[in-house]
Amino acid sequence: MQQSEMAIKEHASELATPELSSRHIDITIVVPLMNEQESVRILFERIQAQINQLGKSYEIIFVDDGSTDKTFEVLKALHEENPGVVHVIRFRRNFGKTPGLVAGFERARGDVVFTMDGDLQDDPQEIPRYLEKLDEGYDLVTGWKFPRLDPISKTFPSRIFNGMVSQLTGVHLHDINCGFKAYRREVIEDPHLKLYGDFHRFIPVIAQSRGFRVAEIKVTHHPRQFGVSKFGAKRFAQGLIDLMNILFLTTFLRRPLRLFAPLGFWSFVLGVLIDLFIVLRSYFWIHEPIHQQPMLFVGILLMIFGVQFFLAGLQSEMIRHYAFQRDEEYSIRQELV
């Protein structure tokens, strides 16, 4: 992440002049991409045509995440042809989608910020429907690609992952991985929206935990025309790890003992019951020496784990106590003075 921030800062001066940065922007579209040389110009033209119909001011921030083809050359040409509209950030290497979005969010000037993928699978004609949903009072609107035109190698793991996220976090979305989202500016400016690793897919979960209203709409999904998908088994496995992380951060971060105490209690109780059963069985049924029964040591280990869980919870509570900051305990939507 530090390297990505260094790359971001190095190119910050190329994004906007003072005159352009003072201009009011209605919509910012952030597009992180990698090796999409055939798609990027087509995508720009489609976005441009759609937003011009809306009559709104806009900017498009392309984040080249370490492309090895001619993607940057195409982006550079678009920037020269459309000064003040097309901004380009070029990373030194592939850092991932989350750093790409962070770089775009830091430079976004629009009242509404969209994120889209650069592979032409997201349809810019859906932009008005996102804006309509935001006007209903929502703060973040995410897309549901329906029907999804991807191979089963992508759709099946994604369906399992979405189901797990829905059940574990309480954020009931059909397609949390969809990169086509719209945010009110307050969401991306929330100081507690801390994006690192691959947390970009969990932005709706983080936003809802902060009190923002999240909605989902069905959107048109197009099959990939050019290039290859960046999805793989490794990404799915990383997503599961990040899910456990985000679940802890949004649920138990401020009350860690509520997670560790039940784990410790039930582990200890289970260990006691197992050892009690072994002792009673040895004396009243099979008359086998206790030390020759492996389950005895399983029970002892469970009791040790139970104590360790409880101590870990107390230690976490101590860290929580000394790291306490008042402004992290709530999120103010509006204040009348």
Side-chain angles (χ1 to χ4, degrees):
M1 187 65 184
Q2 287 182 335
Q3 292 179 341
S4 67
E5 290 175 352
M6 291 172 59
I8 290 168
K9 291 177 181 178
E10 180 173 340
H11 296 282
S13 62
E14 299 177 12
L15 292 180
T17 63
E19 294 79 5
L20 291 174
S21 62
S22 64
R23 182 167 60 94
H24 178 263
I25 301 294
D26 295 317
I27 296 174
T28 295
I29 299 180
V30 178
V31 185
L33 44 77
M34 175 185 175
N35 294 340
E36 300 289 357
Q37 62 181 14
E38 298 93 347
S39 305
V40 63
R41 180 173 288 276
I42 300 174
L43 176 62
F44 169 75
E45 292 172 351
R46 291 178 180 177
I47 294 173
Q48 185 182 50
Q50 181 59 54
I51 300 186
N52 283 340
Q53 290 181 12
L54 297 175
K56 294 182 178 294
S57 58
Y58 68 99
E59 63 180 359
I60 305 175
I61 302 177
F62 290 102
V63 183
D64 182 2
D65 188 20
S67 295
T68 56
D69 60 2
K70 296 182 179 179
T71 296
F72 180 72
E73 283 73 11
V74 179
L75 292 175
K76 185 177 180 181
L78 288 174
H79 171 71
E80 293 172 351
E81 296 165 10
N82 302 273
V85 174
V86 175
H87 299 173
V88 179
I89 304 170
R90 187 184 190 187
F91 286 171
R92 292 185 182 277
R93 64 168 178 82
N94 176 240
F95 287 97
K97 192 170 184 178
T98 298
L101 291 177
V102 170
F105 288 164
E106 287 179 347
R107 291 154 175 79
R109 295 174 291 155
D111 297 329
V112 175
V113 179
F114 282 84
T115 59
M116 298 178 64
D117 292 335
D119 54 12
L120 300 179
Q121 293 191 275
D122 297 331
D123 194 335
Q125 292 186 0
E126 301 285 358
I127 289 176
R129 297 183 57 234
Y130 279 87
L131 296 175
E132 291 172 3
K133 200 66 177 179
L134 288 174
D135 289 339
E136 293 178 14
Y138 292 99
D139 302 298
L140 190 161
V141 181
T142 182
W144 173 13
K145 294 171 283 191
F146 186 87
R148 186 171 178 180
L149 304 178
D150 280 324
I152 192 171
S153 60
K154 289 184 66 175
T155 57
F156 181 69
S158 180
R159 184 170 299 179
I160 295 175
F161 185 77
N162 287 319
M164 292 179 61
V165 173
S166 177
Q167 291 298 319
L168 294 174
T169 67
V171 180
H172 302 296
L173 301 175
H174 296 85
D175 190 5
I176 197 168
N177 281 317
C178 180
F180 199 178
K181 293 180 173 67
Y183 309 79
R184 290 191 185 276
R185 186 168 190 82
E186 304 91 84
V187 178
I188 67 169
E189 288 184 341
D190 190 308
H192 306 297
L193 181 68
K194 300 175 182 179
L195 302 179
Y196 52 90
D198 286 319
F199 277 8
H200 65 273
R201 59 171 62 90
F202 297 110
I203 295 178
V205 177
I206 302 172
Q208 183 161 301
S209 74
R210 293 290 298 157
F212 293 107
R213 297 185 63 197
V214 178
E216 182 179 55
I217 61 173
K218 291 182 178 180
V219 294
T220 303
H221 186 233
H222 299 289
R224 174 179 278 274
Q225 299 181 34
F226 310 103
V228 295
S229 173
K230 284 70 177 180
F231 180 86
K234 181 180 179 181
R235 178 179 161 189
F236 179 73
Q238 291 173 342
L240 294 178
I241 296 172
D242 287 335
L243 173 59
M244 299 304 296
N245 194 353
I246 207 70
L247 184 64
F248 179 80
L249 293 176
T250 58
T251 307
F252 298 106
L253 180 64
R254 292 175 174 82
R255 300 174 297 273
L257 194 59
R258 295 191 183 182
L259 171 65
F260 290 107
L263 287 174
F265 175 78
W266 290 113
S267 295
F268 188 85
V269 168
L270 182 59
V272 170
L273 292 176
I274 290 174
D275 283 353
L276 183 62
F277 171 76
I278 295 299
V279 171
L280 293 176
R281 188 177 68 164
S282 298
Y283 279 100
F284 296 103
W285 293 309
I286 64 175
H287 302 289
E288 182 181 352
I290 293 177
H291 66 273
Q292 294 183 5
Q293 302 185 49
M295 286 299 293
L296 174 71
F297 301 100
V298 173
I300 294 173
L301 284 174
L302 284 172
M303 286 189 285
I304 294 174
F305 287 155
V307 173
Q308 291 294 328
F309 277 132
F310 193 77
L311 292 176
L314 291 176
Q315 186 180 43
S316 299
E317 288 287 348
M318 292 169 59
I319 296 172
R320 160 78 172 131
H321 176 78
Y322 285 105
F324 171 79
Q325 295 186 25
R326 295 181 185 276
D327 63 340
E328 291 186 356
E329 302 304 307
Y330 51 80
S331 174
I332 298 176
R333 179 177 182 179
Q334 186 178 7
E335 185 174 1
L336 303 179
V337 180

